[in-house]
Amino acid sequence: MTILDELKLQFSSLNEMQQQAVFQTEGPVLILAGAGSGKTTVLVNRIAFIIKSGLAQPWQILAITFTNKAAGELKERIEAVGGEGAEEVWAATFHSTCARILRRYGDRLGFSSHFTIYDTDDSRRLMKEIMKQLNIDEKFLSHKTVLNEISKYKDKMQEPKDIQTAASYDSRLKYIAQAYDLYQQRLMTSDAMDFDDLISNTIKLFEQNPDVLEYYQRRFKYIMVDEYQDTNKSQYRLISLLSKARGNLCVVGDDDQSIYRFRGATIENILSFENEFKGSVVIRLEQNYRSTGTILDAANNVIKNNLERKGKTLWTQNPKGERITLHTASSEREEAMFIARTILDGVAEGRSFSDFAILYRMNAQSNTIEQALSRSGIPHRVIGGHRFYDREEIKDMTSYLQVINNPHDDIRLRRIINKPKRAIGEATMIKVAEIASGVGESIYSVIKHASDYPTLARAAAKLEAFARLIDGLIEAALSGDYSIAELYNLILEHTDYKQYLMAEKDDYEQRIENIDELSSNIIKFQEDYGDEATLGAFLEEISLMTDIDNYDAQTESVVMMTLHSAKGLEFPVVFIPGMEDGVFPSMATIMEAGELNEERRLAYVGITRAKEKLYLIKTRERMLFGSTTHNRESRFVTEIPSSLLEKTGNENIYANHRYEHQPKQQFDPFAKKKPVAAPSGNKYSPGNTVYHKVFGTGMVLTASPMGNDTMLEIAFDKVGTKTLMANFAKMEIIK
């Protein structure tokens, strides 16, 4: 037996197709990995095999994925099985990979190594300023529309001059071209890039500097790309450039899970892979390790109705499992009640709150469900809500850090120059911005020498005082005497920012807690990265972080998120509310074949998130966006064989009675009705001892009338104090 044969024995726990994917190391390879088929396991073992067989050194391998969370998991698992030096594998997202390259060679394009990365909020602020400057009416052309168009142009590698040439007599396009041109100028002046620039500028760097491209082509002997179905045109172009010399490109993806068309992702990249990369080997991973047979049968029956696909059928050795529950509620409120009640029943039977996920097509569906969970005392969190780093006070503090790292960042500097208040008004900053634009300098460069400009004479002392503050903090950062956490404390100390919050904000206590939490995050970052914990590295990490990166499956709470956010995750029990035509699929997609195909792929993604039990829920009528609609059952439900479904609730569209299977006494937490008495016939009063089937025994501390209900504060023996609404609590009064 050869050494290679012995090495292959180490991977004998993989199934036959997974082994093929691991051992097929040379040339272009397309791995079509169905949902739950162990694609991350394949990627990790493929990298381990390449390292252990001596085909490449760890630093010669590039593994690209889409989220920081996925990249972190990949790195962790590679280091666990890859042997010595495995931590040197480049495992990162597209954006962080490009940022790393541009930090080294960005000077070839006119950027410093400290360039700032603008997030969506920063880009919007900048575009609003530009549109005011160009006198573009927001009602005629919104800043969001302009930014979306610019993003599309960057994906196609089109410059402002290309758009101006194409505009001809199209006034709308001319305005977009002008805004695009000024936007790029302002980014360059601020030594900043937006997310799209990270990709497009790396492509420019490679195409304009053959020596840099050759360096990375030589360096990366093997390139692997995860979630290939989500790539856009510029990402495809980047990967093509990097892999052209060696040809060892392995992409992993699932055309049936291509759901980001609205972000520019193009399914054609995966459908045409064999034509673009000649001699490709295609390997299908169809064995699913996640879901029951029933759930997979439902998913297969839905997705087979799409024509734009490579074709594969998921199968599993898992048990058949329970039938899928298709529940009909009378309204979105009863839909929410059904979800809350089912979760409480499940927890009473031994499940954890973290076993449950509620996945919806649009964010507008979440509000009613959140209310039902809150009123029933169910711990929950919404992924995709208000990000921690988007909060006002956090943006303020990170803006200080950004300006210290890059003082020419105009957008961040304008945000903080009067926070706390320094009597530097907007009128003054408009004058400063006009001077900066006229002389081709950053705002920081102007305010440092404000007394040189007659129009700034009255505000010069205040402006230069702020510049001295920033200069002092920059000096502290460059001295090497302060860690990031200590530098952060210096900012708080020299700006009196906490005192500003106490004086200006009613909810200052919560905001100060957030400020302290940011300090904790910085300390954790320093602990994780050790000597590599630079200010620039921290700012880059938070700028590229998405909300899903903070998702922790171990947190004991129900998780709520959109179907788009759920891709890549899995849960024992999944609820998908709104299974009606007009909601899912959405009304905007029903009439267009390509859009409807994507909606069906989204349904496939949602169904395959469930491991053990799936609930599909529809309503007889639904209030959404202020209008009541009566929608027919989702076409995706009709594509599931009835033998796989267990129908509950009331399907009679004209019926007024409640669900067939419910006890007669059901309480709507939203309904304006007379309060219902506790099961014992007594009203809840402070001092009552009560029993809740999930939270156990507790004492009523307060009982406050609220509308037609009573808000109870109860100290439970097992779970501490909870606030519940009496009409929904369904507790037994013991004494």
Side-chain angles (χ1 to χ4, degrees), residues 10-29:
Q10 295 179 25
F11 301 91
S12 58
S13 61
L14 303 177
N15 68 42
E16 183 184 346
M17 299 310 292
Q18 288 176 331
Q19 287 184 42
Q20 276 190 39
V22 167
F23 302 144
Q24 182 63 50
T25 58
E26 306 308 300
V29 181

Side-chain angles (χ1 to χ4, degrees), residues 116 200 287 306 500 547 647 664:
T116 297
S200 59
Q287 183 175 356
N306 269 5
Y500 154 73
D547 197 58
K647 297 183 180 181
K664 289 181 181 178

